[in-house]
Amino acid sequence: MAKKKTTFFCKECGYETSGWMGKCPGCGAWNSLVESTTVTGSSSTSNTKIDSPAFKAAGYSWTNRQETVRLNDAGKEDYVRFKTGISQLDELFGGGITNGSVTLVGGEPGIGKSTILLQLANSFGSNEDILYVSGEESPAQIKMRADRLGIKSDRIIICAQTSFEIIAEELKNTKPSLCIIDSIQTLYSENVNGTPGSVTQAREVTAGLIRIAKSNNLPIILVGHVTKEGSIAGPKTLEHMVDTVLYFEGDNTGSYRILRSVKNRFGRSGELAFFEMTQSGLQAVDSNFALMVMGRPLEAPGSAITSAMEGARALTVEIQALAADTCYGTPQRMTSGPDRSRTAMLLAVTEQQFKLNLNSKDVFINVIGGLRITDPACDLAIISAVVSSNRGIPLKANTMVLGEVGLSGELRPVSSLAARISEAQRLGIKNIVLPSSCRNAVKSNNGIEFLLVDNVSEAADVLFS
């Protein structure tokens, strides 16, 4: 007789246990375990395992190749890339979408996930059919969006299904060159317990799709919902299972969108692409317009220009700070872009070095354009913006600020300096504040004056003189 067995899975790392615990033993995350029910029994346990999508997907293979090859001979025949027709997306994927790859795209509702994937399907560099599986919209709704975007393609096949078994059979019959699943949280398998979007369903269905993709050299793109914290909903193991993870960043109420490559097994991770939402869909734009560096206010206190490395690109960004007297018992520390913990550390260093009485002031830090930065070379720019706002004095005009700050206020070297200087020169930056340890890396000025300093106090003297 079959009976139900309750297990718990960690949404962050996939750790499985028979009972609920407040802290996951696998990754240490709190309140991350969710309940999952499976059916066990002497007569059904083995059949349930065999019928699960991860095992059943082997029956939907139209190419069976299992060979053991040497490293030098691997990939000479099967490593094929298809152009997306959108150059910025090709850069994110490392030169195009690779055969057999599985990509997970996440972002807030309404930010443009379905729009850019429909544009990709229209311009995909293959003459074969493209299967667009939608579990959230009807074919008529998708056709309305395609008409707004001006997309008219006979290659796109719409499949409004949520059953894994039906979708797998459709893939076997149509044999498309690309499959888009919108979204993975709406899919379910009849042989897996749980509602669509649950941990068990999402993990098993994704495993089945990955097996179909690998055994048929079929690229698959999955759309993932996000939580209120901005991470992809469901177990974290989904991101470990797929080959590429793309995240939409920025505010979906604005016109600019930032698409970041968080993970990429076929190229460099950390790359960015900038788009603008228009009536005809997402159009690629230059990063300087998306981050609004060209239209920044001049001679404004609390504004600093710096350069952040994202992948192989140097992005010139504007950091703004506002220090105002608090009206609360505890001063507020709000950040939009920089890491909040690192910003708190930098504020402590600022208070230690300049005695600005920040303990009685609210401090707000913002990166223009909605970009999230983690580059430590932006530390000095954050401190400079805070000091500028507190004193009400603008920084030295047309100046870029670079430097990693230590706890004692000393400045550490900056990596990828050549790329940052080249980008600054393209934008017409005349002065760059640098740590003195970068003296040997600065070979020629190229029309730029380099101001070398050893600590944050010297940097303030240079910037406010």
Side-chain angles (χ1 to χ4, degrees), residues 272-463:
L272 294 181
F274 296 87
F275 298 91
E276 182 181 6
M277 180 63 76
T278 64
Q279 294 293 334
S280 58
L282 289 170
Q283 304 295 328
V285 296
D286 186 80
S287 62
N288 297 319
F289 291 97
L291 298 176
M292 301 181 196
V293 177
M294 303 300 294
R296 68 185 187 277
L298 301 178
E299 303 296 329
S303 175
I305 298 297
T306 186
S307 179
M309 292 301 300
E310 297 292 343
R313 299 176 59 187
L315 298 178
T316 303
V317 297
E318 178 188 358
I319 296 179
Q320 290 185 339
L322 175 62
D325 293 335
T326 184
C327 57
Y328 303 98
T330 302
Q332 303 296 303
R333 301 288 186 261
M334 304 298 293
T335 63
S336 177
D339 179 70
R340 187 173 182 178
S341 299
R342 188 167 186 85
T343 301
M345 181 198 74
L346 295 176
L347 292 178
V349 174
T350 305
E351 178 63 25
Q352 180 70 23
Q353 296 294 321
F354 298 101
K355 310 300 180 183
L356 300 178
N357 195 24
L358 296 177
N359 294 329
S360 62
K361 296 185 178 182
D362 295 333
V363 179
F364 305 91
I365 310 292
N366 178 45
V367 177
I368 298 299
L371 181 67
R372 291 201 299 265
I373 59 173
T374 57
D375 192 346
C378 302
D379 290 351
L380 184 57
I382 295 176
I383 292 179
S384 301
V386 172
V387 175
S388 173
S389 175
N390 187 81
R391 293 180 176 178
I393 303 174
L395 272 68
K396 188 180 183 66
N398 209 8
T399 300
M400 176 180 287
V401 184
L402 295 173
E404 179 182 355
V405 179
L407 292 180
S408 61
E410 81 280 5
L411 298 183
R412 302 300 179 89
V414 177
S415 62
S416 304
L417 189 57
R420 302 177 199 261
I421 294 176
S422 177
E423 182 68 12
Q425 184 181 12
R426 187 175 73 89
L427 295 177
I429 300 295
K430 300 300 182 182
N431 309 293
I432 299 181
V433 176
L434 285 173
S436 297
S437 53
C438 296
R439 188 187 308 273
N440 295 332
V442 181
K443 298 180 180 180
S444 59
N445 56 14
N446 297 320
I448 298 177
E449 181 181 359
F450 297 101
L451 308 174
L452 303 177
V453 294
D454 293 319
N455 50 59
V456 293
S457 298
E458 292 184 11
D461 293 339
V462 169
L463 291 170

Side-chain angles (χ1 to χ4, degrees), residues 112-120 145 149 151 277 281-282:
K113 301 185 296 296
S114 301
T115 298
I116 197 169
L117 291 181
L118 196 57
Q119 293 180 240
L120 187 154
R145 177 185 291 113
L149 301 177
I151 295 176
M277 180 63 76
L282 289 170

